[in-house]
């Protein structure tokens, strides 16, 4: 799993991904895999009739979070190449069409606001 220093790894993947070490890349990819697994699990529960949630509404925040960084998008491309679930790929389409002008937007806004205080 991500580990106790994951907050630093996540921030680095947003702010300066070129400085990630091999170990940090492993951590961030495991994190993104865990998010994809959660979405796959939600699909299974909905298809099994256990829950009546909107798959799109429930999964989009996870996907937005994963695809809001260069590292997340690289991981996604790799997952597509090795066989990403087609339902997840379809749900991801909207986010992939948005240019990453401000990667990790939520983190960037928070850091900017914090520095003004």
């Amino acid at each position: 799993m991500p580990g106790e220093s994951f907050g630093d790894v996540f921030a680095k993947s947003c702010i300066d991904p070129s400085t990630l070490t091999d170990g940090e890349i492993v951590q961030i990819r495991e994190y993104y895999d865990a998010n994809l697994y959660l979405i796959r699990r939600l699909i299974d529960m909905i298809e099994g009739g256990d829950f009546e949630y909107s798959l799109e509404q429930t999964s989009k925040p996870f996907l937005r979070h994963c695809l809001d960084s260069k590292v997340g998008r690289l991981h996604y491309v790799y997952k597509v190449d090795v066989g990403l679930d087609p339902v997840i790929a379809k749900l991801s389409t909207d986010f992939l069409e948005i240019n990453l002008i401000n990667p990790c937007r939520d983190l960037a806004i928070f850091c900017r606001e914090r520095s003004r205080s």
Side-chain angles (χ1 to χ4, degrees):
M1 284 315 285
E4 66 183 53
S5 64
F6 183 70
D8 293 332
V9 172
F10 184 80
K12 188 190 286 189
S13 75
C14 289
I15 296 165
D16 194 5
S18 66
T19 64
L20 289 168
T21 66
D22 292 346
E24 290 168 336
I25 291 169
V26 169
Q27 284 183 311
I28 197 78
R29 291 190 66 201
E30 285 181 3
Y31 172 74
Y32 289 135
D33 278 343
N35 278 286
L36 292 174
Y37 174 77
L38 287 172
I39 296 167
R40 180 64 248 170
R41 184 73 183 112
L42 180 61
I43 292 167
D44 290 343
M45 288 189 298
I46 290 170
E47 288 176 351
D50 296 338
F51 295 97
E52 294 184 23
Y53 292 117
S54 162
L55 175 61
E56 186 170 326
Q57 183 178 16
T58 309
S59 62
K60 290 267 181 169
F62 288 105
L63 291 170
R64 182 183 319 112
H65 181 68
C66 291
L67 298 172
D68 195 28
S69 73
K70 293 177 183 179
V71 175
R73 288 187 181 207
L74 286 172
H75 183 70
Y76 173 84
V77 168
Y78 170 77
K79 288 307 222 181
V80 168
D81 288 345
V82 298
L84 180 67
D85 184 293
V87 175
I88 295 173
K90 185 175 186 232
L91 289 168
S92 302
T93 303
D94 294 341
F95 299 114
L96 294 170
E97 293 175 357
I98 299 169
N99 289 328
L100 283 177
I101 295 168
N102 189 5
C104 301
R105 185 173 181 273
D106 290 343
L107 178 64
I109 290 170
F110 180 79
C111 290
R112 189 170 47 249
E113 292 299 319
R114 182 190 65 162
S115 67
R116 291 181 189 169
S117 301

